Amino acid sequence: MDLHALRLSHPFLILNNTNTNALSLRNTILGFNRRSRRWLKLEATNTNGAALDEAAFEAERLALDAEARSAMAQQGQASISDSNDPKAWKWIIRKRIWDSMEAHNFAQNPRPVHHRIPNFVGASSAADKMRLLDVFQAAQCVKVNPDSPQKQVRFLTLSDGKKLLTPQPRLRTGFFSILESNMLPPGTIKEACTSVGVAKHGRPIGLDEKIKVDVIVIGSVAVDPKTGARLGKGEGFAELEYGMLRYMGAIDDSTPVVTSVHDCQLVDDIPVEKLLIHDVPVDIICTPTQVIFTNTSIPKPQGIYWDKLSPEKLGQIRILRELKKRIERETGQKLPTGPSEKLPPTARRGQRG
């Protein structure tokens, strides 16, 4: 029996037809072509054409995350110390929440939770409450952030047969990836909920993907249950992801935004009048003990606000540069650029291409 090999450049799904039988074995598919009487070995690889080195991928991710948290810590401290910094109030609230979660042992690994979307005791219970929401049960496609406290939400999305849309961490390697339980090898749903699993099993998409997202799940550091005002960890990626999905037509004002947090992350001192136009409000909050419908009146972002986007942030994220060039080409007009800022060097490898 002849065995011929074909190496693919990204995760894929092969469908049976009348001429081919296929057997999926993790990242390898063996297909038998009845006409040629030959077996074909199709192996999924990364975009460099080499098989994914899981250990190296995870080591690089952890190193970049550590570098980013260190830089964000410096930025946050500098902001708090500068009475003229308009973002200082955000960092004061974030620090209070992170400190409290560690002091009261509400935090879960990875710890310390500072400069992260904090994982928390009862995250799975909050996810279970989210699963019972009417909007979640009716959803066919759910966008979920890649952070630790929402891992169970990603698992439940796939376990319930829904399409999972998840961003590649900090958008540094691309854009979004789609995962579906029927495209996963048996027993790999838990793995598919991790960064390595998304790289192995996800299907990367681009700006031209025709997709409808029914629910957006977003991570939070603090959220106000009365107004729906939310603070993330301070890097702004959730807002950029939201804006790009608006551009793609995948979401609109009616798409519910849901977050899961510990009860100690509920606050009442986020000044709505100081929120920026691109800040994303929350419609529903799930904690380990309750579900809160905020009935937020805060307007949702309508897209990417280019006049707020610094050259440094744009330089970090390839997909944003592609989108900017596309819009400028289509409109024949040059888009504005926001003020310069000093950023953590997290997304350096995203500058390639």
Side-chain angles (χ1 to χ4, degrees):
M1 178 176 66
D2 295 332
L3 182 66
H4 293 252
L6 173 65
R7 185 178 290 267
L8 300 186
S9 61
H10 57 75
F12 62 92
L13 176 64
I14 188 169
L15 300 177
N16 283 341
N17 57 38
T18 55
N19 297 316
T20 305
N21 288 334
L23 175 63
S24 175
L25 299 173
R26 296 184 72 81
N27 272 4
T28 300
I29 289 182
L30 297 178
F32 183 69
N33 188 292
R34 293 194 182 99
R35 289 179 179 174
S36 64
R37 310 298 298 175
R38 289 176 175 172
W39 283 89
L40 301 176
K41 179 182 179 183
L42 286 73
E43 183 178 352
T45 70
N46 62 23
T47 54
N48 295 325
L52 178 68
D53 186 331
E54 296 179 34
F57 178 93
E58 185 66 3
E60 182 182 15
R61 184 186 71 82
L62 292 174
L64 287 170
D65 284 352
E67 188 178 14
R69 288 196 309 277
S70 175
M72 291 297 288
Q74 296 176 34
Q75 181 179 328
Q77 187 57 49
S79 179
I80 291 173
S81 301
D82 183 356
S83 59
N84 294 319
D85 190 330
K87 297 181 180 179
W89 66 270
K90 290 186 175 182
W91 286 107
I92 291 171
I93 295 175
R94 290 182 184 117
K95 186 176 186 303
R96 186 184 77 219
I97 296 298
W98 287 325
D99 288 348
S100 176
M101 293 184 75
E102 288 291 347
H104 294 92
N105 217 28
F106 295 144
Q108 291 271 63
N109 286 328
R111 296 176 73 174
V113 294
H114 294 75
H115 307 288
R116 306 180 195 266
I117 296 297
N119 198 7
F120 57 91
V121 174
S124 292
S125 296
D128 290 339
K129 283 183 168 53
M130 191 182 298
R131 185 189 204 177
L132 297 177
L133 293 173
D134 290 342
V135 293
F136 189 90
Q137 292 189 0
Q140 296 181 21
C141 178
V142 183
K143 182 264 183 186
V144 187
N145 57 297
D147 301 284
S148 296
Q150 283 72 44
K151 183 177 180 180
Q152 181 69 4
V153 178
R154 298 192 294 276
F155 176 79
L156 294 175
T157 299
L158 290 173
S159 297
D160 289 353
K162 304 179 189 299
K163 187 179 296 184
L164 171 64
L165 182 69
T166 190
Q168 293 155 12
R170 291 189 170 88
L171 299 180
R172 62 187 174 225
T173 58
F175 188 31
F176 288 96
S177 292
I178 289 178
L179 296 99
E180 297 181 70
S181 57
N182 61 9
M183 67 185 274
L184 297 173
T188 60
I189 288 183
K190 285 189 176 180
E191 180 187 47
C193 299
T194 67
S195 294
V196 170
V198 170
K200 286 177 63 177
H201 304 295
R203 176 175 68 84
I205 67 170
L207 292 166
D208 293 320
E209 184 82 14
K210 301 301 180 185
I211 187 171
K212 180 181 182 297
V213 175
D214 301 302
V215 174
I216 289 181
V217 179
I218 192 170
S220 303
V221 173
V223 61
D224 188 329
K226 293 183 179 179
T227 66
R230 165 200 170 270
L231 295 182
K233 63 179 179 286
E235 291 184 302
F237 286 100
E239 288 74 19
L240 292 173
E241 293 158 9
Y242 187 94
M244 284 187 280
L245 288 174
R246 286 296 294 244
Y247 170 83
M248 293 169 65
I251 60 174
D252 56 30
D253 282 340
S254 68
T255 307
V257 178
V258 188
T259 193
S260 58
V261 295
H262 192 273
D263 290 87
C264 74
Q265 294 173 258
L266 302 177
V267 301
D268 61 3
D269 58 344
I270 298 178
V272 172
E273 69 277 6
K274 291 186 178 181
L275 294 177
L276 301 176
I277 193 171
H278 54 73
D279 286 327
V280 180
V282 170
D283 297 296
I284 307 174
I285 305 169
C286 296
T287 80
T289 66
Q290 58 186 319
V291 173
I292 303 168
F293 293 83
T294 68
N295 298 310
T296 183
S297 61
I298 301 172
K300 290 178 179 174
Q302 300 300 299
I304 300 292
Y305 295 93
W306 300 100
D307 59 334
K308 308 294 184 184
L309 189 62
S310 71
E312 291 80 9
K313 179 71 79 174
L314 188 65
Q316 284 187 338
I317 305 173
R318 176 177 54 81
I319 193 72
L320 271 181
R321 298 197 301 276
E322 291 179 4
L323 176 57
K324 187 172 187 284
K325 289 178 181 177
R326 173 182 296 195
I327 294 175
E328 290 176 336
R329 185 171 60 250
E330 291 174 350
T331 63
Q333 296 180 342
K334 189 172 180 62
L335 291 170
T337 301
S340 182
E341 64 177 329
K342 184 178 180 180
L343 291 177
T346 311
R348 280 176 180 165
R349 66 175 174 182
Q351 295 176 351
R352 296 196 297 261

